[in-house]
Amino acid sequence: MTGVKDYLFIVLGILIYGIAFTAFILPHGIVIGGVSGVATLVYFATNGVIPVAVSQYGCNLILLALAFRIVGRTFVLRTIFGATVASLFIGIFESFFMGLGHPLIEDISMSAVLGAILCGVSVGIVFIHNGSTGGTDIVAAMVSKVSNVSIGRTMIFVDMIIVTSSLLLPYDGTLAERLNARVPLVVYGLVMTFIIAYMADMIINTNRQATQFIIFSHKWAEIADRINSEARRGVTVLDGEGWYSKQKVKVLMVWCRKIESVTIFRIVKSMDDNAFITQTKVNGVYGKGFDTMRVKMKK
């Protein structure tokens, strides 16, 4: 069950996404991947008659109806919450920023990069708190259930189709003029789609990164107590022997989040300035206080 804290961060992430999309991306007519991209296509194809928020929410509901039996009730309920909040925020900010009559940042390159970075950060925040805003997440979840195609590959493929579809938007002019006007926007859309994916991965991986410490010190007991009480992390005490000195030693092994590493260093340094300590990056730590193993067991 997702806690209240998770829902608050999901709402925060979606809020950031709503501002980034409507303030920095939509005013320049750039189409990105996902349902937001499809909704943007509808918005410009209808000359703004159908708001992005409306078509985005409609697309999500249609996809969820198709995916219900495949992805399960829990995924659908969680996605409905995220999609509803996302459409609400986008609807509010869409009317405000599009009503300005001009982009908030006139330079399209700077606006596109800033918008993509913020969108990627927001997607990462939503994901690490067990949320979903729908869109290509639903398509990818359906494909992964019925085939061996990876989720990442599916999302990239679908997003590229959506972005390149902006070439077909109504345009008054020759084919050459259409291409001159639309191709740069397609390039921006493709680049932004990859920036969003990269930033989302950065946020997700940073949150999950863990560090392993191995500490040698004659004040091992005091250090272990302070790590327990101040860093709120467990300590494993191992028996060791210095082969050169032939003396028995106690070895402390600690796992913590990357952002907690400074706390461990401060504790050790304050207790024993001559302590021998190693720090190793760990790809993942699973168990109480860390991540939960999400693997499907064979029936």
Side-chain angles (χ1 to χ4, degrees), residues 16 20 23 28 37 39 64-65 92 132 137 144-145 154 177 199 203-204 206 220-221 235 241 254 265 290 293:
I16 296 172
H28 287 287
L64 284 171
I92 294 172
S132 172
D137 291 357
S144 67
K145 291 283 187 178
T154 302
E177 291 173 337
M199 291 304 301
I203 296 297
I204 294 167
T206 298
W220 59 271
V235 181
E241 180 179 349
V254 182
F265 275 117
F290 291 92
M293 289 184 287

Side-chain angles (χ1 to χ4, degrees), residues 149-188:
V149 180
S150 69
I151 291 179
R153 185 180 303 175
T154 302
M155 293 181 70
I156 290 174
F157 181 72
V158 173
D159 287 344
M160 288 182 68
I161 292 176
I162 294 171
V163 174
T164 53
S165 296
S166 62
L167 290 171
L168 304 177
L169 287 173
Y171 185 83
D172 295 329
T174 64
L175 178 60
E177 291 173 337
R178 173 192 290 268
L179 293 177
N180 286 334
R182 296 295 183 192
V183 169
L185 295 179
V186 170
V187 174
Y188 275 116

Side-chain angles (χ1 to χ4, degrees), residues 10-32:
I10 289 171
V11 172
L12 174 63
I14 295 173
L15 174 63
I16 296 172
Y17 186 92
I19 295 174
F21 175 74
T22 56
F24 306 118
I25 300 173
L26 188 62
H28 287 287
I30 301 173
V31 177
I32 59 174

Side-chain angles (χ1 to χ4, degrees), residues 236-290:
T236 301
V237 182
L238 306 176
D239 292 319
E241 180 179 349
W243 193 246
Y244 180 77
S245 63
K246 300 299 189 289
Q247 292 182 353
K248 301 293 184 180
V249 295
K250 294 292 185 179
V251 183
L252 304 182
M253 184 175 291
V254 182
W255 290 276
C256 68
R257 293 295 187 188
K258 183 180 179 181
I259 59 176
E260 299 169 325
S261 299
V262 175
T263 303
I264 304 298
F265 275 117
R266 286 174 178 166
I267 291 172
V268 176
K269 184 174 177 61
S270 65
M271 297 299 299
D272 182 5
D273 201 33
N274 295 317
F276 187 83
I277 180 171
T278 66
Q279 178 187 21
T280 307
K281 183 188 295 184
V282 181
N283 288 332
V285 178
Y286 303 93
K288 187 176 181 180
F290 291 92

Side-chain angles (χ1 to χ4, degrees), residues 7 31 50 82 84 89 123 141-142 146 198 216 236 239 241 273:
Y7 277 109
V31 177
I50 302 178
T84 302
F89 283 147
V123 170
M142 287 192 293
V146 299
Y198 176 77
F216 298 83
T236 301
D239 292 319
E241 180 179 349
D273 201 33

